Amino acid sequence: QKEVEQDPGPLSVPEGAIVSLNCTYSNSAFQYFMWYRQYSRKGPELLMYTYSSGNKEDGRFTAQVDKSSKYISLFIRDSQPSDSATYLCAMSAGSNYQLIWGAGTKLIIKP
Amino acid sequence: DARVTQTPRHKVTEMGQEVTMRCQPILGHNTVFWYRQTMMQGLELLAYFRNRAPLDDSGMPKDRFSAEMPDATLATLKIQPSEPRDSAVYFCASGLVNRETQYFGPGTRLLVL
């Protein structure tokens, strides 16, 4: 079993829908949680960064961490075709530890 | 607009040839990472440098891969000899001391025939 599990999708939703992307993990030492977005043939770019538990909001994006359930989520409101990309979760136990990556979920927003 | 640059963007080579990939990290960043991405394995960390010193290369096949930082503005990843299974996209990323926020380059798409 991998340390970080992420459904590869693809997840296809109509424009305007609320999207929920999720990762589960097994290492309770993880404290830092990130979401990266990767467009086709591009490098990943940092989208959201959360330390420990709780929610963080940035525009249409909300990152949620539930450490008790070892579950993190990324919500996208009012989804746009330009949100079509692969979303990767990543997490670590701290600055001296390696980032552990999910496999990425391919998201398709249909106009 | 500061960004990580990588060269070449695409490389096609024959099995057994040497491949060198180069990365220019963002000015002022003191951590550099090399990743390999494939459909099957996803993102795999190959090497990690802090202040030009290699701190973690456990993910790198030592017999054929080598990574160096000859100066703060250049990181290199070499494969010698290359094999078809090395075909992948190789990303360089840079950041500040903490590992969590990494800024990725556009990648080098390698095909070994």
Side-chain angles (χ1 to χ4, degrees):
Chain A
Q1 187 184 2
K2 293 183 178 181
E3 271 190 289
V4 177
E5 298 280 358
Q6 184 177 13
D7 187 336
L11 175 63
S12 183
V13 301
E15 182 177 355
I18 296 175
V19 175
S20 173
L21 302 166
N22 311 295
C23 288
T24 59
Y25 62 95
S26 57
N27 188 345
S28 58
F30 287 151
Q31 300 183 73
Y32 299 88
F33 304 91
M34 278 71 64
W35 286 96
Y36 282 77
R37 178 176 62 195
Q38 185 175 21
Y39 289 114
S40 180
R41 306 183 83 83
K42 302 284 188 184
E45 57 176 330
L46 181 64
L47 194 59
M48 299 286 283
Y49 168 73
T50 310
Y51 171 70
S52 195
S53 282
N55 291 1
K56 185 172 185 179
E57 190 173 320
D58 184 1
R60 296 184 295 111
F61 298 88
T62 300
Q64 197 171 77
V65 174
D66 182 348
K67 292 187 73 178
S68 62
S69 302
K70 298 191 182 68
Y71 189 89
I72 69 170
S73 300
L74 177 71
F75 298 97
I76 307 174
R77 291 184 299 282
D78 188 25
S79 55
Q80 304 294 311
S82 58
D83 296 327
S84 298
T86 296
Y87 290 79
L88 300 108
C89 64
M91 48 197 81
S92 82
S95 295
N96 293 320
Y97 296 88
Q98 190 180 132
L99 262 189
I100 307 299
W101 294 84
T105 298
K106 183 173 183 177
L107 174 66
I108 301 168
I109 308 296
K110 298 177 292 185
Chain B
D1 184 24
R3 56 184 66 190
V4 175
T5 59
Q6 289 185 248
T7 57
R9 294 292 310 277
H10 304 271
K11 177 73 175 179
V12 180
T13 191
E14 292 188 347
M15 183 173 63
Q17 297 298 303
E18 177 177 303
V19 175
T20 299
M21 291 169 268
R22 293 178 174 82
C23 167
Q24 182 172 18
I26 293 172
L27 190 64
H29 283 186
N30 63 345
T31 58
V32 172
F33 307 83
W34 282 105
Y35 286 93
R36 175 170 62 186
Q37 187 176 42
T38 61
M39 289 293 290
M40 292 298 293
Q41 299 295 331
L43 264 177
E44 301 174 275
L45 180 67
L46 298 175
Y48 163 50
F49 291 80
R50 181 187 292 178
N51 296 322
R52 295 176 54 202
L55 291 190
D56 184 356
D57 61 0
S58 57
M60 198 163 64
K62 303 290 192 304
D63 56 338
R64 299 184 299 108
F65 284 61
S66 63
E68 294 179 344
M69 275 202 76
D71 61 61
T73 64
L74 177 65
T76 63
L77 179 67
K78 289 186 181 180
I79 309 174
Q80 168 64 358
S82 57
E83 297 181 1
R85 60 180 167 152
D86 300 328
S87 298
V89 182
Y90 291 81
F91 287 106
C92 173
S94 72
L96 294 172
V97 174
N98 60 315
R99 295 185 178 213
E100 295 79 39
T101 50
Q102 301 177 16
Y103 297 84
F104 282 75
T108 293
R109 193 168 294 267
L110 174 65
L111 177 61
V112 183
L113 302 174

